[in-house]
Amino acid sequence: MRFRGKLPTGTAVHKGLTFRMGQLPARRYLLRLLEHVQRGNVNSVYLLTHRMPLEYGAEGYQMLKDKTDNVMRVVFEP
């Protein structure tokens, strides 16, 4: 089900859908995680899947939106 704007909870209830959500306390753990990356305890290279020149920003964001080419993260280089 795709929707724009408000979540159609009535429709979801009638279809018997279950929503599972959560939040990540990223700020709480960010500095600690960066320390592990700097020490080499965590290899974050696999998270970066694409590198593109900055002028291809629109194409990179479209890839992320459409989830094409197994994209996870794009780094734009000047």
Side-chain angles (χ1 to χ4, degrees), residues 40-76:
N41 298 334
V42 175
N43 183 2
S44 61
V45 173
Y46 73 94
L47 294 174
L48 171 63
T49 58
H50 292 74
R51 291 182 183 270
M52 296 181 165
L54 190 55
E55 57 267 16
Y56 289 98
E59 289 87 347
Y61 280 104
Q62 190 66 45
M63 286 176 66
L64 287 165
K65 181 180 174 187
D66 298 337
K67 297 181 172 106
T68 58
D69 199 27
N70 294 319
V71 66
M72 288 178 59
R73 297 285 186 273
V74 179
V75 171
F76 298 107

Side-chain angles (χ1 to χ4, degrees), residues 5-23:
K6 295 182 180 181
L7 180 67
T9 53
T11 303
V13 169
H14 291 298
K15 290 187 175 197
L17 299 180
T18 301
F19 294 98
R20 301 181 109 195
M21 299 177 215
Q23 292 182 337

Side-chain angles (χ1 to χ4, degrees), residues 20-36:
R20 301 181 109 195
M21 299 177 215
Q23 292 182 337
L24 170 71
R27 289 185 181 199
R28 180 176 179 181
Y29 297 107
L30 183 60
L31 292 177
R32 187 171 162 193
L33 176 61
L34 289 176
E35 288 174 5
H36 283 288

